[in-house]
Each structure stands twice: as structure tokens, then as C-alpha cells.
Amino acid sequence: LYQAQGKADEAAKAYAEALAADPQHAASAVELAAVELLVRKSNIEQGAQAVESALKLQDALGPAERARARGLKGMALFQQFKPKEAEAELKEALKDNPNSDFIKAQLAQVLRSQRDYDSALPLYASLAKEDSDNLEFVDGHITALVMTGKMQDALTAVEAASKSFPNEARIAYLYGRIEDALDKPTEAEGHFKRANAADAKLVDAGLYLGRLYLRQHRNADARALLEAAAQQAPEHAGVHAGLGELALAENNSLLAQQEFDRAVQLDPNLADAHLGLSRVALLNGDATRAE
């Protein structure tokens, strides 16, 4: 009950007391880990340790509990920037419980982060069908359709989503992603602007509009958007990669290096940041580092 209410301290205390009464109470061990990773979210290492403690109770774990524990371990690995290990763990978890939306959602996110949209698409399609009121699932489904080139399906899905989520900034943003992919910059700009105006905290809308402006050599417009995004989300790796791209466009390779380095510190697996660093290395004449 405490966990459902988001009361992490009270939930952790109750689960700990349950484990004190019965050290083999596997469900409490699993959910104690869930509190650390899904509710508290502040200490990934502590959450990972709690998962390992739960998994030590293998004999007491039923298939569903074991699947949830492995799903939580996969989530912890992903947050530790270990996507391949997370993917393997989540796939094993799915074998124990093929119907778990939690595990499917975590696996889809991990695959998406690695740009494996072909594998992520069926997971997101299933999730969006089962829970069409979940904006995260709908977003993932539409994004996967765009990234796999299924543009007509993406348009159909986003039109349906706009009816379920009227005036939702993220839907306008997704419209913009589709139009951008279809090489319709004017339409994309309009959608991104609407998304940005509707929700200034939706950093991706400003980021993608800024990148659109960079491609159009509208550096001043891009700067305004990217700097605003950086104020909203100073720890967003993609925003720093965008600022690095802006610095390159303005022939400031030193600043570009700093921004791309910061992006890699925040997300070691961000492809855009590594691509940016390779471009900086080429400008500095270091072909080996660039490669």
C-alpha cells in the first residue's frame, strides 16, 4: 500500500520488517528492490544490491517473482549504462513471464536506446494495444514506426493518439518527428513549435527543433532553443550533444569538444555524442581518434 502511494521510506520499512519476520519471504525481497529502483530512484547501486539479495532466494521465488526480480535487475543494469547486459537479463525475465508489461516495457526501452527499433517495435505495438492510455507506450510505438520507416502506420497511430490525448504536447512533438522524417521541414517546425509552447519542459521538442534549425543554418534560432533546453534539463545528454553540434556549426571546436565530452559523461552510449567527438577529432587532424 505504501509503495502504491509512492511512500518509499514507509514501504521499505514494512518490507524490511516482513523479511525480519521471515528471511525467506521472497516477495518482500523483490518488492524492497522495486521500492529502491521504481519509487526512490535515487541510489541505483543500493537498488541493484537489493535485487541481488532477492535473487539469492531462488528456491523461494515463483516464476512471476523471479521474472520481476530479473526485470528489476535488467532495469538496474540499464541505469548503470550496461545496455547489452540489461537486454540479456530482460530477455531471460520475459521467458519466465511472457505477459509482463513491466518487463516488456523495460526491454523495449533498452532496445530503443541501442537503436534496435526493429526489435523494439513489436514490444511497443503490444504494449500500446494493451494499454492505449499509457502515453509512454504510445510514444514508443510511434517512434519505433518512424525509425523503421513505416510512415503511414506512424501517421495512423499518431492521429489515433491525438484523439486519446487532446492538447498533449508530446503528440505534437511526435507529429513533428514524422514530418521531419518525411522531409517536410515547414510542417515539422510548426508541430515542434506547438509542442514547445504547450510544454516548455518537453525538452525533446526544443532539441529537435534546434537541430532542424541547424540543418537550415539558422544558428541564432538554434542557439535560443538549445540554451533554453539546457536550462530546463542541464543533465540531458542529448541537449549537450545538440550544443556541441551548434558549436561545430559556429567553428568553435574547443567548445564542441567540451559539450560532446559532457554528453558522453552523462550517457556513455549516446551515438550522437560519439559521432560529434569523431567530427571534432577530424577537424583537429586526428584520424585515428576519429575512427
Side-chain angles (χ1 to χ4, degrees):
L1 180 63
Y2 287 137
Q3 184 177 352
Q5 294 171 337
K7 297 179 179 178
D9 292 340
E10 293 91 333
K13 182 174 180 290
Y15 287 133
E17 288 173 350
L19 284 166
D22 178 5
Q24 297 299 310
H25 194 250
S28 289
V30 173
E31 293 311 315
L32 182 57
V35 169
E36 296 296 337
L37 292 169
L38 299 174
V39 183
R40 211 188 299 274
K41 300 180 182 179
S42 58
N43 191 328
I44 302 306
E45 292 299 329
Q46 188 170 328
Q49 290 171 10
V51 173
E52 292 300 335
S53 296
L55 285 169
K56 288 178 181 177
L57 302 173
Q58 283 285 355
D59 294 340
L61 291 170
E65 289 171 340
R66 184 170 60 247
R68 182 162 169 78
R70 298 196 76 162
L72 290 165
K73 182 177 180 180
M75 180 182 179
L77 287 166
F78 180 57
Q79 292 176 350
Q80 293 169 325
F81 303 109
K82 299 175 181 177
K84 290 296 184 187
E85 294 89 334
E87 179 182 344
E89 197 68 39
L90 288 162
K91 284 181 175 177
E92 287 300 314
L94 206 56
K95 291 178 183 178
D96 274 330
N97 190 356
N99 298 317
S100 169
D101 284 353
F102 167 70
I103 297 171
K104 285 193 282 187
Q106 295 300 322
L107 179 56
Q109 184 181 11
V110 169
L111 292 168
R112 178 179 177 176
S113 76
Q114 298 177 86
R115 297 177 182 254
D116 186 358
Y117 291 100
D118 287 316
S119 299
L121 179 55
L123 290 167
Y124 276 127
S126 171
L127 290 164
K129 183 178 180 181
E130 292 171 16
D131 188 358
S132 60
D133 292 330
N134 188 312
L135 184 57
E136 179 186 345
F137 296 164
V138 172
D139 179 333
H141 182 216
I142 295 169
T143 300
L145 287 169
V146 171
M147 298 305 290
T148 53
K150 297 176 174 62
M151 306 310 297
Q152 187 54 55
D153 290 341
L155 279 169
T156 300
V158 80
E159 286 165 2
S162 68
K163 296 174 184 175
S164 300
F165 303 97
N167 305 315
E168 169 59 52
R170 184 158 285 275
I171 299 302
Y173 156 74
L174 289 168
Y175 265 118
R177 289 289 305 274
I178 293 169
E179 299 292 11
D180 197 14
L182 290 170
D183 199 23
K184 296 181 179 179
T186 303
E187 292 86 343
E189 179 181 3
H191 289 303
F192 287 141
K193 280 184 173 179
R194 279 191 290 278
N196 211 31
D199 183 0
K201 293 182 179 180
L202 182 57
V203 175
D204 286 343
L207 175 59
Y208 274 86
L209 181 55
R211 283 177 164 164
L212 175 64
Y213 287 155
L214 281 176
R215 294 200 301 273
Q216 297 173 337
H217 307 292
R218 296 166 59 180
N219 293 354
D221 291 333
R223 173 175 293 283
L225 285 161
L226 292 169
E227 288 180 348
Q231 287 185 338
Q232 284 286 348
E235 301 298 295
H236 192 297
V239 171
H240 285 283
L243 287 167
E245 292 167 17
L246 172 64
L248 277 180
E250 295 178 340
N251 298 314
N252 188 339
S253 61
L254 179 60
L255 179 58
Q257 174 85 42
Q258 293 171 350
E259 292 292 353
F260 290 129
D261 279 337
R262 180 60 180 149
V264 169
Q265 288 173 6
L266 292 167
D267 184 354
N269 299 311
L270 184 64
D272 291 334
H274 290 288
L275 178 61
L277 285 171
S278 74
R279 293 171 63 195
V280 171
L282 280 175
L283 285 173
N284 293 332
D286 190 345
T288 302
R289 176 171 167 74
E291 184 178 6

